[in-house]
Amino acid sequence: AQSVAQPEDQVNVAEGNPLTVKCTYSVSGNPYLFWYVQYPNRGLQFLLKYITGDNLVKGSYGFEAEFNKSQTSFHLKKPSALVSDSALYFCAVRDAWSSASKIIFGSGTRLSIRP
Amino acid sequence: EPEVTQTPSHQVTQMGQEVILRCVPISNHLYFYWYRQILGQKVEFLVSFYNNEISEKSEIFDDQFSVERPDGSNFTLKIRSTKLEDSAMYFCASSSRGAEQYFGPGTRLTVT
């Protein structure tokens, strides 16, 4: 069965500092991996995905994520945090075999950027 | 930029009543989904829909739930007899043949 783990409920970073939000996954085959962000009273916004190819993928708002197959990790990163990055971040995984496959979400990590 | 829309944004209903949550997916998408998020918990998959039939459903999606695509644009989730534990934020999502799914803003369902 597929699963995603986000070990940190909350990450606190000062504005301008680099940030990392951790994610590890477990799948039986090749994974499709995603990061979504949820702002208060809003839906889930797609940030980036890994399907195949380069292990470093770039997404919206300056975010990037590094796929590490040996460590089964897909950590979200940003070189310089902004206060507006404060939100709830979800790592997610999907089976590659079917376009109709469900997405399995992690429990979420609340990112708080202090001025 | 096209987006998924959902109505209503907030629905309050009494236990035992039927509710219909509505979604308009992105127009050229082929795959449709419902998820829910109980307050403070993770987002959970309910059902996926493709080619006018259910592709996959979770154990949450029991006989009280149904989905329909009544016309070329709407995608609905019906709960026949709501229970207190159905209170949650319900998200509709759609996708093309690509990997990522695009989510609507959600409908907050409160069952009293």
Side-chain angles (χ1 to χ4, degrees):
Chain A
Q2 306 164 75
S3 65
V4 175
Q6 294 181 245
E8 304 153 317
D9 291 335
Q10 175 126 2
V11 170
N12 299 308
V13 177
E15 187 175 28
N17 283 359
L19 68 87
T20 298
V21 183
K22 295 179 180 177
C23 171
T24 58
Y25 66 91
S26 174
V27 296
S28 55
N30 293 324
Y32 285 173
L33 295 160
F34 309 90
W35 278 98
Y36 284 84
V37 59
Q38 185 178 32
Y39 296 100
N41 302 313
R42 301 283 296 276
L44 296 156
Q45 294 182 37
F46 169 73
L47 272 182
L48 51 79
K49 67 182 177 186
Y50 172 83
I51 296 176
T52 186
D54 288 342
N55 290 340
L56 185 66
V57 293
K58 296 186 183 298
S60 307
Y61 313 120
F63 283 94
E64 57 190 30
E66 187 167 12
F67 171 68
N68 188 317
K69 189 172 183 177
S70 62
Q71 296 184 5
T72 61
S73 67
F74 190 56
H75 301 331
L76 181 70
K77 301 181 180 185
K78 188 171 182 180
S80 178
L82 300 171
V83 173
S84 57
D85 293 329
S86 298
L88 187 58
Y89 289 80
F90 291 95
C91 183
V93 66
R94 208 202 87 185
D95 263 338
W97 67 274
S98 168
S99 295
S101 294
K102 62 181 179 286
I103 287 180
I104 303 295
F105 287 89
S107 55
T109 297
R110 188 163 299 282
L111 179 63
S112 178
I113 310 299
R114 60 183 183 274
Chain B
E1 185 175 327
E3 56 185 23
V4 178
T5 59
Q6 290 186 244
T7 54
S9 57
H10 192 188
Q11 174 87 48
V12 181
T13 189
Q14 289 189 326
M15 195 167 52
Q17 295 297 303
E18 175 183 288
V19 294
I20 297 176
L21 309 182
R22 291 181 167 79
C23 168
V24 179
I26 294 173
S27 63
N28 62 345
H29 283 184
L30 303 173
Y31 304 89
F32 313 111
Y33 313 82
W34 284 100
Y35 294 79
R36 78 174 186 189
Q37 184 181 32
I38 294 172
L39 188 63
Q41 298 185 25
K42 65 169 62 176
V43 179
E44 302 173 291
F45 168 78
L46 293 178
V47 66
S48 60
F49 191 85
Y50 169 69
N51 201 25
N52 283 321
E53 61 183 22
I54 290 174
S55 302
E56 186 178 3
K57 59 184 180 180
S58 71
E59 58 191 27
I60 302 169
F61 194 88
D62 61 23
D63 292 344
Q64 294 299 311
F65 291 86
S66 62
V67 289
E68 194 177 31
R69 187 158 163 81
D71 52 40
S73 60
N74 290 283
F75 180 51
T76 62
L77 174 69
K78 182 191 292 185
I79 309 175
R80 284 190 191 81
S81 178
T82 50
K83 302 186 281 286
L84 293 176
E85 54 265 37
D86 293 328
S87 294
M89 182 74 89
Y90 288 80
F91 293 107
C92 174
S94 69
S95 69
S96 61
R97 293 195 183 277
E100 67 272 23
Q101 297 173 15
Y102 292 90
F103 286 75
T107 293
R108 181 168 299 283
L109 176 65
T110 302
V111 182
T112 61

